[in-house]
Amino acid sequence: MLNSFFTLLIVFAFCVQSTAQTCNLNISGRLTDETTSEPIVYGNVFIKELKLGSVSDTAGNFKIQGVCPGNYHLVISHIGCETIEYFLNLRNDTVMGISLDHNHHHLHEVSITAKLKERSIQESQTIGKQDLEENGDKNLSTLLDQMSGVSSIKNGSGIAKPVVHGLYGNRLAIINNGVAQSGQQWGVDHSPEIDPLSANEITVIKGVGAAEYQGNSLGSVILVEPSRIEREPHLHGSGSYFFESNGLGNGMHFSLQQYENVGLEIGWKVDATVKKSGDNRSPNYYLRNTGNEEANVALQFEKSIRKNWIMDAYLSSFNAKLGVFRGAHIGNLTDLDEAFNRSEPFFTQDKFSYEIEAPRQQVNHHLMKLHSMYFITPNQKLEFTYAVQLNQRKEFDVRRGGRSDIPALSLDQVSNFGEVKYLSDFGENWEFKTGVQVNHTDNTNVPETNILPLIPNYVAIEYGAFGILAKSWDKTTVEIGGRYDLENRNVATISNSVPRSIIKYSNSYSNFSAMSGVSQQLVKNWKLLGNIGFANRNPEVNELYSNGLHQGVSGIELGEVTLKPEQSLKGTLSLKGKVKNKLFFEALGYYQVIEDYIFLNPSNEVRLTIRGAFPVFKYEQTNASIYGLDFSTVYQITSHLETKIQYSYLKGDDNSQGIPLIFMPANNLYGALTYDVKNWNLGRGKLENIELQVNNRFVFEQTHILPSQDFIQPPKAYNLIGAKVSAERQAGKFRFNFYLRAENILNTVYRDYLNRQRYFADDLGVNIIAGINAKF
Amino acid sequence: MRLLLLSFVIVFVSCKKDDPLTPTLPIIPNEEEVITTLNYTLTAPNGDVVLFSFKDVDGDGGNAPVVVNGALDTNLTYSGKIELLNETVSPAEDITEEVKEEGDEHQIFYQFSNPDLGTTYTDADANGKPIGVSTQLITKGTSSSTLTITLRHTPDKNASDVASGDISNAGGETDIEVTFAVDVK
C-alpha cells in the first residue's frame, strides 16, 4: 500500500540474462488488469524511439524482439485504459509484468470498481487524466456532475459549485492537493478556485464523514490530486487546445516535466492554463456578460533526499474573471416579478461579445504547499505538510456614479495549515493512520467598497486529530476512524444600526466525529460496502452574523448568533459487481439525518426599505433528512459496443416542519451508447482507440417542493442529447489525442432547478467542442 | 527555482500581522452611495407646498422607515421635484445631482393607482429623454389612491412608451421603490 506512490501502473522488470550487447535483446511480458488480474488481450506495447511494437495475445503476453541496448519510452495502450508511458533503460533481455487500470475507462462514467488504495473504504468515483483532458472546457463542478449522485449549483454557466448527495459549499470538503480548499465557500454563487487541467485525477468520495481531512464536511469529500512527477530523466510534456462554439471559447494547457535521477534526484513540473470565452448563447438569444477569463499556473518540485525521504513543493496560482448575466442583476422583488413574466429576459441581445463588465467576479487563489514524506521502515511513514493559501475575491455590481469599477465585495482570506501524519502497515494486513492538524484562517474585508460588508472580519484557529484503523482479511476489510476538532473564532463586525459601531464576538466549538465501514467480497467480482458515520459542522459566519439585504436573492437575510453546530448521521450501502465480464453494475443507497440543519427560513415578515419591500429570511435550525440512490450499469453488447445507464434519485425533507428541503438536486437519468474501434489504418499511419458515443440526459422536474418555498415553480423536466468522437495517434515522438464533443445537439430550450439563472433566462443551447492534446 | 520559492514565501509572510488571534478591525465605510431619503415636493400655482417623504436612515435593516404622505387640492397643476439624500453622512449628501449628471442612465417613474392622476416629465437628459426629477401633476376629481415612485438604474429609455413614463418595458434595476398614500380633495 505504501508504494501506491506510483499509481496506475505497477511495473516490475527483472533481468533474465546479462550477456547480450548487440541488437538482439528482447522485451517481453504480460499485460494484466490491475483489479481482476485477468490478462489483457490485444493490448499495445510500443517503443516510441524505434516505432516498434507488439500486441498482446489471448494470454496477455507480448514480445518485442531484436532491440539494441539503450534508453526507451514504452507506450502501453489498450482500449478502455488510459494510455501510459514507461521509461526503460534496456541493458538485458527484460521481462515485464504490466498491470493496467482497465476499469479506468468505466470509472469516469460508472465507477465499477472501488479504488481502495490508500483511501478509506468509503464509496468513491474518479475522473482520470484522459477525461480531464477531453473536457478541458469544463470547470471542476461541471466535470463532476456527470457522475451519479453529483450535481452542480450554478449561477449562469461559468460559476458552478459541486453538490454531492444534496450537500454543497460548507457541507462538502474540497481537498486540493491534500489541503482543504480555503475561500468563500458560503455563497451559492462562488465556485471553487481550482484548475482541473493541472490535476491528474479528481475523486469524489460519497462518504459518511472525513476522518482524515480537516475542513467542513458532513459526509462527502472531493479530492483533487495533481500528477506526480514521473521518474523520467528526459524532458516530457504535453500541450492541449480546445475551442467551444457556444461562447466562442478558446483554451490552452501546457505542461513540462523532468526528473533528474542521476546525482541530484530532483524533479520538476510546470502546468499552465489559459482560457477565454465570451457571451454564452441560449437557443434563442445571447446572454449578455456571461464570458470568462482564466489564467492559472502550477509549479511542482520533488527531491529525493535519501531513498526513504522525499520532499516536494507545490505552488499554484488561479486567476479568474467571471461575468454574471446582466439580466440576473435586479434591484428588488418588483424587478424579479417582472423578470419572471417576460418571454425574453432583459439584457439579451442578438450579437456576441467577449466583453465582461459589472456584475462580475474577480477571483485569485494562490497556494503554496511544502510536503515531506519519510519512510521509517518500508511499512511505516511519516508525512509533514505545511500550506499557505491566499484567496482574494472581488465582486463588482452595477453601481451609480461611476462606481462599477469599485468592488461591492472585497475579501482577502489567508490560511495557514500544518499537518503531521503517521501511517503504518503492521501484523497481518493491519493498517493504522493517525495525524494532527492545525489551520489558521484570517478573513478580512478590504476597505475599498464603501458598502457595509456582508461577511464580518474574523480569525479562526482549528486544531484537529484523527486516527483510522483498518484490517483486511481474505474477503473482508473493516475500517474504523475518529477525529476531534476544536475551533476558536474571533469575529469583528459592523453594527447595522446608526451610528455604526464595531461589535465583537467569540465562539468556540469542539466536536467529535466517528465513522466505520465494512467491505465484503460476496461471490467472485461482487462486493458489498457498508459505511456509517457521525460528523459535525460548525455554523459559518454568514449564518451567524448576516444582517441585511442580499440583493442577489432579493431578500433580507438575518443571521442568528445562537446557532449550534449541525450533527449528521449518515449511512451508505452499496453493491457492485460484474456478470461474465459483460454486465457491470453499482448501486449505492444512502440515508442521512442532520440534526440542527441550518437553513434560510422565509418568515412572514416583509421589510420596507427605500428599494421596495423585501421578504425576510432567517437562519434557523431544523431536523433534516436526505436520502437517495445512485445507480449505474454498463453492458458490453459486443466487444466493440457498450451501453451505459446511470440514475440518481434524491429526496430531502425538513422533518420538524414536515416540508421538503429547498435546493435539492432533481432526479436524473443518463444513458450512453459507445462504439469503439481499436485501429483504423489511414494511408500514412493509423488512428488508435477510436471511440464514438451518443448520450442522453433526462432531468426530472423537482416536484418535491411546495409552491410557497420559492418565488416560482421549479422548471419542467428536460432532455439533452450529446455525442462524442475521440481517437489517438502516434506520430514520431508525439502521441496525439483528438476529440469532438457536442452538447445539447437539438438546441433544446430548458432551465435547470439548481441554476440560479433559471429565474431570468434559458440555459445554454447547442455547444460543439473540438480539442487536441499532444504528449511527448 | 529556490529563489522563486523564497519569493513566494515572502509574499505570503508579508500578508501576516502581529496578533494571530485578533481579526483586523473592520473600517466603517463611508456609504456614499446609499440613498436614505426621498422627498417629493409638489408646489401649487399659489406657492403652497405639499411634501411626500420616505426616510430610512439606518438602511436596509434596523428601524422602520418614516413615511410622510400628503393631501392635494383638486383641479390644480402642481410642479413636482424629487430630492434624494444620503443622511448617513453629516451634512447630508444630495444624491439628486449624481442622478442628474448620469441622467441617461436613470429614470424616475410615477405610477398612480387612480388612472385620473398622472405626471408629465419636464426635464431631459443629454439625449432628450426624460429623467423625472422635475415633473408636472394635474389633479382631477376627488380620490384616495396610492402613488409608487420608482428610480430605475440603466433602463432602456428607447423601449416602447418608456419615455412617456410607462415602466413596463424599462428593464434595468430598481434603486428606489416607495409608495405613498395620495388624497385629492
Side-chain angles (χ1 to χ4, degrees), chain A residues 301 326 329 332 334-335 399-400 440 442 457 490 500 610, chain B residues 1 4 17 20-21 24 31 33 98 102 152 154 173-174 177:
Chain A
F301 302 96
R326 181 65 178 86
H329 193 259
N332 69 2
T334 317
D335 296 4
R399 293 173 75 175
R400 224 178 36 245
H440 180 269
D442 187 345
N457 288 358
N490 291 316
R500 308 276 184 221
I610 200 159
Chain B
M1 286 187 305
L4 200 82
K17 54 175 195 291
L21 292 175
T24 311
E31 298 166 78
E33 207 181 344
E98 206 172 274
E102 289 182 345
R152 281 283 171 91
T154 63
E173 71 240 343
T174 303
E177 186 184 295

PDB file of all heavy atoms in Angstrom, chain A residues 301 326 329 332 334-335 399-400 440 442 457 490 500 610, chain B residues 1 4 17 20-21 24 31 33 98 102 152 154 173-174 177:
ATOM      1  N   PHE A 301       7.901  20.704  -7.445  1.00  0.00           N
ATOM      2  CA  PHE A 301       9.286  20.229  -7.304  1.00  0.00           C
ATOM      3  C   PHE A 301       9.268  19.000  -6.434  1.00  0.00           C
ATOM      4  O   PHE A 301       8.471  18.901  -5.507  1.00  0.00           O
ATOM      5  CB  PHE A 301      10.169  21.279  -6.626  1.00  0.00           C
ATOM      6  CG  PHE A 301      10.205  22.579  -7.354  1.00  0.00           C
ATOM      7  CD1 PHE A 301       9.367  23.607  -6.978  1.00  0.00           C
ATOM      8  CD2 PHE A 301      11.061  22.762  -8.425  1.00  0.00           C
ATOM      9  CE1 PHE A 301       9.375  24.807  -7.661  1.00  0.00           C
ATOM     10  CE2 PHE A 301      11.078  23.952  -9.104  1.00  0.00           C
ATOM     11  CZ  PHE A 301      10.235  24.983  -8.723  1.00  0.00           C
ATOM     12  N   ARG A 326     -26.136  39.801 -17.048  1.00  0.00           N
ATOM     13  CA  ARG A 326     -26.604  41.127 -16.677  1.00  0.00           C
ATOM     14  C   ARG A 326     -28.081  41.118 -16.292  1.00  0.00           C
ATOM     15  O   ARG A 326     -28.515  41.832 -15.390  1.00  0.00           O
ATOM     16  CB  ARG A 326     -26.343  42.075 -17.863  1.00  0.00           C
ATOM     17  CG  ARG A 326     -26.738  43.501 -17.664  1.00  0.00           C
ATOM     18  CD  ARG A 326     -25.906  44.163 -16.582  1.00  0.00           C
ATOM     19  NE  ARG A 326     -26.278  45.566 -16.442  1.00  0.00           N
ATOM     20  CZ  ARG A 326     -27.274  45.995 -15.684  1.00  0.00           C
ATOM     21  NH1 ARG A 326     -27.988  45.145 -15.003  1.00  0.00           N
ATOM     22  NH2 ARG A 326     -27.557  47.278 -15.604  1.00  0.00           N
ATOM     23  N   HIS A 329     -29.182  40.586 -12.636  1.00  0.00           N
ATOM     24  CA  HIS A 329     -28.882  41.592 -11.620  1.00  0.00           C
ATOM     25  C   HIS A 329     -30.106  42.467 -11.444  1.00  0.00           C
ATOM     26  O   HIS A 329     -30.475  43.223 -12.342  1.00  0.00           O
ATOM     27  CB  HIS A 329     -27.691  42.433 -12.071  1.00  0.00           C
ATOM     28  CG  HIS A 329     -27.135  43.265 -10.975  1.00  0.00           C
ATOM     29  ND1 HIS A 329     -27.407  44.603 -10.853  1.00  0.00           N
ATOM     30  CD2 HIS A 329     -26.350  42.940  -9.934  1.00  0.00           C
ATOM     31  CE1 HIS A 329     -26.791  45.067  -9.783  1.00  0.00           C
ATOM     32  NE2 HIS A 329     -26.145  44.074  -9.204  1.00  0.00           N
ATOM     33  N   ASN A 332     -35.018  44.750  -6.877  1.00  0.00           N
ATOM     34  CA  ASN A 332     -35.957  44.357  -5.825  1.00  0.00           C
ATOM     35  C   ASN A 332     -36.935  43.327  -6.343  1.00  0.00           C
ATOM     36  O   ASN A 332     -36.806  42.814  -7.457  1.00  0.00           O
ATOM     37  CB  ASN A 332     -36.663  45.588  -5.256  1.00  0.00           C
ATOM     38  CG  ASN A 332     -37.613  46.219  -6.256  1.00  0.00           C
ATOM     39  OD1 ASN A 332     -37.782  45.722  -7.370  1.00  0.00           O
ATOM     40  ND2 ASN A 332     -38.234  47.305  -5.853  1.00  0.00           N
ATOM     41  N   THR A 334     -40.020  43.615  -7.268  1.00  0.00           N
ATOM     42  CA  THR A 334     -40.786  44.011  -8.450  1.00  0.00           C
ATOM     43  C   THR A 334     -40.006  43.648  -9.706  1.00  0.00           C
ATOM     44  O   THR A 334     -40.557  43.131 -10.678  1.00  0.00           O
ATOM     45  CB  THR A 334     -41.044  45.538  -8.429  1.00  0.00           C
ATOM     46  OG1 THR A 334     -41.419  45.903  -7.119  1.00  0.00           O
ATOM     47  CG2 THR A 334     -42.120  45.923  -9.407  1.00  0.00           C
ATOM     48  N   ASP A 335     -38.688  43.917  -9.664  1.00  0.00           N
ATOM     49  CA  ASP A 335     -37.836  43.570 -10.807  1.00  0.00           C
ATOM     50  C   ASP A 335     -37.867  42.062 -11.047  1.00  0.00           C
ATOM     51  O   ASP A 335     -37.907  41.593 -12.184  1.00  0.00           O
ATOM     52  CB  ASP A 335     -36.372  43.961 -10.544  1.00  0.00           C
ATOM     53  CG  ASP A 335     -36.192  45.471 -10.405  1.00  0.00           C
ATOM     54  OD1 ASP A 335     -37.209  46.189 -10.442  1.00  0.00           O
ATOM     55  OD2 ASP A 335     -35.045  45.917 -10.259  1.00  0.00           O
ATOM     56  N   ARG A 399     -23.137  49.860 -10.382  1.00  0.00           N
ATOM     57  CA  ARG A 399     -23.296  50.886  -9.349  1.00  0.00           C
ATOM     58  C   ARG A 399     -23.423  52.266  -9.966  1.00  0.00           C
ATOM     59  O   ARG A 399     -23.035  52.491 -11.106  1.00  0.00           O
ATOM     60  CB  ARG A 399     -22.087  50.854  -8.390  1.00  0.00           C
ATOM     61  CG  ARG A 399     -22.056  49.573  -7.582  1.00  0.00           C
ATOM     62  CD  ARG A 399     -20.802  49.451  -6.774  1.00  0.00           C
ATOM     63  NE  ARG A 399     -20.791  50.332  -5.606  1.00  0.00           N
ATOM     64  CZ  ARG A 399     -19.826  50.320  -4.711  1.00  0.00           C
ATOM     65  NH1 ARG A 399     -18.799  49.493  -4.839  1.00  0.00           N
ATOM     66  NH2 ARG A 399     -19.856  51.135  -3.679  1.00  0.00           N
ATOM     67  N   ARG A 400     -23.944  53.181  -9.157  1.00  0.00           N
ATOM     68  CA  ARG A 400     -24.171  54.542  -9.601  1.00  0.00           C
ATOM     69  C   ARG A 400     -22.889  55.357  -9.500  1.00  0.00           C
ATOM     70  O   ARG A 400     -21.978  55.012  -8.763  1.00  0.00           O
ATOM     71  CB  ARG A 400     -25.238  55.165  -8.700  1.00  0.00           C
ATOM     72  CG  ARG A 400     -26.288  55.940  -9.435  1.00  0.00           C
ATOM     73  CD  ARG A 400     -27.338  56.487  -8.493  1.00  0.00           C
ATOM     74  NE  ARG A 400     -26.780  56.897  -7.217  1.00  0.00           N
ATOM     75  CZ  ARG A 400     -27.081  56.310  -6.079  1.00  0.00           C
ATOM     76  NH1 ARG A 400     -27.896  55.279  -6.060  1.00  0.00           N
ATOM     77  NH2 ARG A 400     -26.554  56.724  -4.948  1.00  0.00           N
ATOM     78  N   HIS A 440      -5.137  27.943  10.490  1.00  0.00           N
ATOM     79  CA  HIS A 440      -5.420  29.309  10.914  1.00  0.00           C
ATOM     80  C   HIS A 440      -5.972  30.075   9.726  1.00  0.00           C
ATOM     81  O   HIS A 440      -5.375  30.084   8.664  1.00  0.00           O
ATOM     82  CB  HIS A 440      -4.103  29.944  11.399  1.00  0.00           C
ATOM     83  CG  HIS A 440      -4.257  31.355  11.852  1.00  0.00           C
ATOM     84  ND1 HIS A 440      -4.093  32.415  10.998  1.00  0.00           N
ATOM     85  CD2 HIS A 440      -4.571  31.876  13.063  1.00  0.00           C
ATOM     86  CE1 HIS A 440      -4.294  33.540  11.678  1.00  0.00           C
ATOM     87  NE2 HIS A 440      -4.583  33.235  12.926  1.00  0.00           N
ATOM     88  N   ASP A 442      -7.588  33.754   8.392  1.00  0.00           N
ATOM     89  CA  ASP A 442      -7.762  35.178   8.660  1.00  0.00           C
ATOM     90  C   ASP A 442      -8.529  35.772   7.497  1.00  0.00           C
ATOM     91  O   ASP A 442      -8.036  35.819   6.374  1.00  0.00           O
ATOM     92  CB  ASP A 442      -6.384  35.836   8.811  1.00  0.00           C
ATOM     93  CG  ASP A 442      -6.504  37.284   9.247  1.00  0.00           C
ATOM     94  OD1 ASP A 442      -7.607  37.849   9.154  1.00  0.00           O
ATOM     95  OD2 ASP A 442      -5.478  37.849   9.673  1.00  0.00           O
ATOM     96  N   ASN A 457     -15.209  40.464   9.441  1.00  0.00           N
ATOM     97  CA  ASN A 457     -13.809  40.049   9.561  1.00  0.00           C
ATOM     98  C   ASN A 457     -13.738  38.993  10.663  1.00  0.00           C
ATOM     99  O   ASN A 457     -14.431  39.099  11.676  1.00  0.00           O
ATOM    100  CB  ASN A 457     -12.933  41.232   9.986  1.00  0.00           C
ATOM    101  CG  ASN A 457     -12.758  42.236   8.865  1.00  0.00           C
ATOM    102  OD1 ASN A 457     -13.260  42.042   7.754  1.00  0.00           O
ATOM    103  ND2 ASN A 457     -12.044  43.308   9.145  1.00  0.00           N
ATOM    104  N   ASN A 490     -12.733  34.404  16.427  1.00  0.00           N
ATOM    105  CA  ASN A 490     -12.948  35.771  16.894  1.00  0.00           C
ATOM    106  C   ASN A 490     -13.431  36.603  15.731  1.00  0.00           C
ATOM    107  O   ASN A 490     -12.822  36.607  14.667  1.00  0.00           O
ATOM    108  CB  ASN A 490     -11.660  36.359  17.467  1.00  0.00           C
ATOM    109  CG  ASN A 490     -11.282  35.668  18.768  1.00  0.00           C
ATOM    110  OD1 ASN A 490     -12.138  35.434  19.616  1.00  0.00           O
ATOM    111  ND2 ASN A 490     -10.017  35.310  18.898  1.00  0.00           N
ATOM    112  N   ARG A 500     -22.900  53.781  13.258  1.00  0.00           N
ATOM    113  CA  ARG A 500     -22.244  52.478  13.118  1.00  0.00           C
ATOM    114  C   ARG A 500     -21.192  52.291  14.210  1.00  0.00           C
ATOM    115  O   ARG A 500     -20.481  53.228  14.563  1.00  0.00           O
ATOM    116  CB  ARG A 500     -21.536  52.383  11.761  1.00  0.00           C
ATOM    117  CG  ARG A 500     -22.406  52.718  10.578  1.00  0.00           C
ATOM    118  CD  ARG A 500     -23.230  51.551  10.112  1.00  0.00           C
ATOM    119  NE  ARG A 500     -23.980  51.876   8.910  1.00  0.00           N
ATOM    120  CZ  ARG A 500     -25.242  51.502   8.694  1.00  0.00           C
ATOM    121  NH1 ARG A 500     -25.899  50.814   9.616  1.00  0.00           N
ATOM    122  NH2 ARG A 500     -25.847  51.815   7.572  1.00  0.00           N
ATOM    123  N   ILE A 610     -36.139  51.565   1.174  1.00  0.00           N
ATOM    124  CA  ILE A 610     -36.317  52.561   0.109  1.00  0.00           C
ATOM    125  C   ILE A 610     -36.265  51.895  -1.267  1.00  0.00           C
ATOM    126  O   ILE A 610     -36.752  52.429  -2.248  1.00  0.00           O
ATOM    127  CB  ILE A 610     -35.276  53.689   0.261  1.00  0.00           C
ATOM    128  CG1 ILE A 610     -35.748  54.938  -0.491  1.00  0.00           C
ATOM    129  CG2 ILE A 610     -33.893  53.247  -0.209  1.00  0.00           C
ATOM    130  CD1 ILE A 610     -35.114  56.218  -0.036  1.00  0.00           C
TER     131      ILE A 610
ATOM    132  N   MET B   1      15.124  28.284  -9.111  1.00  0.00           N
ATOM    133  CA  MET B   1      13.912  27.666  -8.578  1.00  0.00           C
ATOM    134  C   MET B   1      13.736  27.996  -7.108  1.00  0.00           C
ATOM    135  O   MET B   1      12.639  28.293  -6.664  1.00  0.00           O
ATOM    136  CB  MET B   1      13.995  26.150  -8.745  1.00  0.00           C
ATOM    137  CG  MET B   1      13.799  25.719 -10.196  1.00  0.00           C
ATOM    138  SD  MET B   1      13.683  23.946 -10.383  1.00  0.00           S
ATOM    139  CE  MET B   1      15.167  23.390  -9.603  1.00  0.00           C
ATOM    140  N   LEU B   4      12.609  31.461  -6.553  1.00  0.00           N
ATOM    141  CA  LEU B   4      11.191  31.610  -6.809  1.00  0.00           C
ATOM    142  C   LEU B   4      10.395  31.194  -5.578  1.00  0.00           C
ATOM    143  O   LEU B   4       9.472  31.873  -5.141  1.00  0.00           O
ATOM    144  CB  LEU B   4      10.820  30.726  -8.003  1.00  0.00           C
ATOM    145  CG  LEU B   4       9.531  31.119  -8.692  1.00  0.00           C
ATOM    146  CD1 LEU B   4       9.801  32.263  -9.643  1.00  0.00           C
ATOM    147  CD2 LEU B   4       8.958  29.939  -9.427  1.00  0.00           C
ATOM    148  N   LYS B  17      -0.016  39.447  10.109  1.00  0.00           N
ATOM    149  CA  LYS B  17       0.070  40.589  11.004  1.00  0.00           C
ATOM    150  C   LYS B  17       0.438  40.128  12.407  1.00  0.00           C
ATOM    151  O   LYS B  17       0.688  38.952  12.630  1.00  0.00           O
ATOM    152  CB  LYS B  17      -1.235  41.359  10.973  1.00  0.00           C
ATOM    153  CG  LYS B  17      -2.438  40.470  11.266  1.00  0.00           C
ATOM    154  CD  LYS B  17      -3.670  41.313  11.333  1.00  0.00           C
ATOM    155  CE  LYS B  17      -4.786  40.548  11.970  1.00  0.00           C
ATOM    156  NZ  LYS B  17      -5.296  39.470  11.203  1.00  0.00           N
ATOM    157  N   PRO B  20      -2.052  36.852  15.991  1.00  0.00           N
ATOM    158  CA  PRO B  20      -2.731  35.891  15.116  1.00  0.00           C
ATOM    159  C   PRO B  20      -4.155  35.548  15.545  1.00  0.00           C
ATOM    160  O   PRO B  20      -4.861  34.886  14.817  1.00  0.00           O
ATOM    161  CB  PRO B  20      -1.825  34.655  15.201  1.00  0.00           C
ATOM    162  CG  PRO B  20      -1.129  34.774  16.499  1.00  0.00           C
ATOM    163  CD  PRO B  20      -0.976  36.242  16.774  1.00  0.00           C
ATOM    164  N   LEU B  21      -4.578  35.985  16.731  1.00  0.00           N
ATOM    165  CA  LEU B  21      -5.912  35.590  17.186  1.00  0.00           C
ATOM    166  C   LEU B  21      -6.947  36.710  17.115  1.00  0.00           C
ATOM    167  O   LEU B  21      -8.108  36.497  17.418  1.00  0.00           O
ATOM    168  CB  LEU B  21      -5.839  35.040  18.608  1.00  0.00           C
ATOM    169  CG  LEU B  21      -5.089  33.709  18.730  1.00  0.00           C
ATOM    170  CD1 LEU B  21      -4.953  33.295  20.175  1.00  0.00           C
ATOM    171  CD2 LEU B  21      -5.798  32.628  17.928  1.00  0.00           C
ATOM    172  N   THR B  24      -8.602  41.634  12.036  1.00  0.00           N
ATOM    173  CA  THR B  24      -8.411  43.028  11.668  1.00  0.00           C
ATOM    174  C   THR B  24      -9.726  43.754  11.927  1.00  0.00           C
ATOM    175  O   THR B  24     -10.781  43.273  11.529  1.00  0.00           O
ATOM    176  CB  THR B  24      -8.090  43.128  10.163  1.00  0.00           C
ATOM    177  OG1 THR B  24      -7.068  42.188   9.881  1.00  0.00           O
ATOM    178  CG2 THR B  24      -7.648  44.510   9.770  1.00  0.00           C
ATOM    179  N   GLU B  31     -20.514  55.273   3.418  1.00  0.00           N
ATOM    180  CA  GLU B  31     -21.509  54.720   2.487  1.00  0.00           C
ATOM    181  C   GLU B  31     -22.079  55.808   1.585  1.00  0.00           C
ATOM    182  O   GLU B  31     -23.245  56.162   1.669  1.00  0.00           O
ATOM    183  CB  GLU B  31     -22.620  54.042   3.278  1.00  0.00           C
ATOM    184  CG  GLU B  31     -22.138  52.873   4.112  1.00  0.00           C
ATOM    185  CD  GLU B  31     -23.177  52.444   5.121  1.00  0.00           C
ATOM    186  OE1 GLU B  31     -24.110  51.767   4.728  1.00  0.00           O
ATOM    187  OE2 GLU B  31     -23.052  52.814   6.301  1.00  0.00           O
ATOM    188  N   GLU B  33     -22.888  55.944  -1.372  1.00  0.00           N
ATOM    189  CA  GLU B  33     -23.782  55.604  -2.468  1.00  0.00           C
ATOM    190  C   GLU B  33     -25.210  55.390  -1.993  1.00  0.00           C
ATOM    191  O   GLU B  33     -26.136  55.290  -2.784  1.00  0.00           O
ATOM    192  CB  GLU B  33     -23.252  54.309  -3.080  1.00  0.00           C
ATOM    193  CG  GLU B  33     -23.562  54.103  -4.504  1.00  0.00           C
ATOM    194  CD  GLU B  33     -22.963  52.762  -4.921  1.00  0.00           C
ATOM    195  OE1 GLU B  33     -22.110  52.232  -4.190  1.00  0.00           O
ATOM    196  OE2 GLU B  33     -23.368  52.264  -5.959  1.00  0.00           O
ATOM    197  N   GLU B  98     -26.144  63.591  -8.561  1.00  0.00           N
ATOM    198  CA  GLU B  98     -25.499  62.428  -9.180  1.00  0.00           C
ATOM    199  C   GLU B  98     -26.431  61.806 -10.213  1.00  0.00           C
ATOM    200  O   GLU B  98     -26.005  61.430 -11.302  1.00  0.00           O
ATOM    201  CB  GLU B  98     -25.183  61.415  -8.075  1.00  0.00           C
ATOM    202  CG  GLU B  98     -24.024  60.507  -8.379  1.00  0.00           C
ATOM    203  CD  GLU B  98     -23.660  59.685  -7.159  1.00  0.00           C
ATOM    204  OE1 GLU B  98     -22.872  60.185  -6.335  1.00  0.00           O
ATOM    205  OE2 GLU B  98     -24.172  58.565  -7.018  1.00  0.00           O
ATOM    206  N   GLU B 102     -25.841  61.674 -14.336  1.00  0.00           N
ATOM    207  CA  GLU B 102     -25.929  60.420 -15.105  1.00  0.00           C
ATOM    208  C   GLU B 102     -27.343  60.233 -15.594  1.00  0.00           C
ATOM    209  O   GLU B 102     -27.893  59.126 -15.565  1.00  0.00           O
ATOM    210  CB  GLU B 102     -25.516  59.239 -14.220  1.00  0.00           C
ATOM    211  CG  GLU B 102     -24.045  59.220 -13.920  1.00  0.00           C
ATOM    212  CD  GLU B 102     -23.642  58.007 -13.086  1.00  0.00           C
ATOM    213  OE1 GLU B 102     -24.516  57.346 -12.519  1.00  0.00           O
ATOM    214  OE2 GLU B 102     -22.430  57.738 -13.031  1.00  0.00           O
ATOM    215  N   ARG B 152     -35.208  53.866 -11.617  1.00  0.00           N
ATOM    216  CA  ARG B 152     -34.546  52.757 -12.294  1.00  0.00           C
ATOM    217  C   ARG B 152     -33.149  53.170 -12.745  1.00  0.00           C
ATOM    218  O   ARG B 152     -32.982  54.252 -13.309  1.00  0.00           O
ATOM    219  CB  ARG B 152     -35.358  52.319 -13.533  1.00  0.00           C
ATOM    220  CG  ARG B 152     -36.553  51.453 -13.218  1.00  0.00           C
ATOM    221  CD  ARG B 152     -36.155  50.036 -12.912  1.00  0.00           C
ATOM    222  NE  ARG B 152     -37.263  49.253 -12.405  1.00  0.00           N
ATOM    223  CZ  ARG B 152     -38.088  48.544 -13.160  1.00  0.00           C
ATOM    224  NH1 ARG B 152     -37.940  48.526 -14.472  1.00  0.00           N
ATOM    225  NH2 ARG B 152     -39.050  47.833 -12.621  1.00  0.00           N
ATOM    226  N   THR B 154     -30.056  52.266 -15.259  1.00  0.00           N
ATOM    227  CA  THR B 154     -29.853  51.695 -16.601  1.00  0.00           C
ATOM    228  C   THR B 154     -31.115  51.123 -17.236  1.00  0.00           C
ATOM    229  O   THR B 154     -31.128  49.989 -17.689  1.00  0.00           O
ATOM    230  CB  THR B 154     -28.737  50.609 -16.613  1.00  0.00           C
ATOM    231  OG1 THR B 154     -29.130  49.520 -15.784  1.00  0.00           O
ATOM    232  CG2 THR B 154     -27.406  51.153 -16.167  1.00  0.00           C
ATOM    233  N   GLU B 173     -32.379  48.107 -13.203  1.00  0.00           N
ATOM    234  CA  GLU B 173     -32.706  47.638 -11.865  1.00  0.00           C
ATOM    235  C   GLU B 173     -33.172  48.772 -10.988  1.00  0.00           C
ATOM    236  O   GLU B 173     -32.829  49.924 -11.196  1.00  0.00           O
ATOM    237  CB  GLU B 173     -31.545  46.894 -11.224  1.00  0.00           C
ATOM    238  CG  GLU B 173     -30.396  47.737 -10.824  1.00  0.00           C
ATOM    239  CD  GLU B 173     -29.144  47.306 -11.552  1.00  0.00           C
ATOM    240  OE1 GLU B 173     -29.119  46.200 -12.092  1.00  0.00           O
ATOM    241  OE2 GLU B 173     -28.209  48.105 -11.590  1.00  0.00           O
ATOM    242  N   THR B 174     -33.973  48.398 -10.010  1.00  0.00           N
ATOM    243  CA  THR B 174     -34.629  49.375  -9.167  1.00  0.00           C
ATOM    244  C   THR B 174     -33.692  49.827  -8.053  1.00  0.00           C
ATOM    245  O   THR B 174     -33.201  49.011  -7.290  1.00  0.00           O
ATOM    246  CB  THR B 174     -35.907  48.752  -8.576  1.00  0.00           C
ATOM    247  OG1 THR B 174     -36.714  48.314  -9.664  1.00  0.00           O
ATOM    248  CG2 THR B 174     -36.661  49.739  -7.732  1.00  0.00           C
ATOM    249  N   GLU B 177     -37.907  52.242  -4.700  1.00  0.00           N
ATOM    250  CA  GLU B 177     -39.317  51.982  -4.973  1.00  0.00           C
ATOM    251  C   GLU B 177     -40.075  52.269  -3.693  1.00  0.00           C
ATOM    252  O   GLU B 177     -39.962  51.533  -2.717  1.00  0.00           O
ATOM    253  CB  GLU B 177     -39.531  50.528  -5.419  1.00  0.00           C
ATOM    254  CG  GLU B 177     -40.971  50.274  -5.848  1.00  0.00           C
ATOM    255  CD  GLU B 177     -41.217  48.816  -6.194  1.00  0.00           C
ATOM    256  OE1 GLU B 177     -40.615  48.326  -7.171  1.00  0.00           O
ATOM    257  OE2 GLU B 177     -42.002  48.171  -5.478  1.00  0.00           O
TER     258      GLU B 177
END
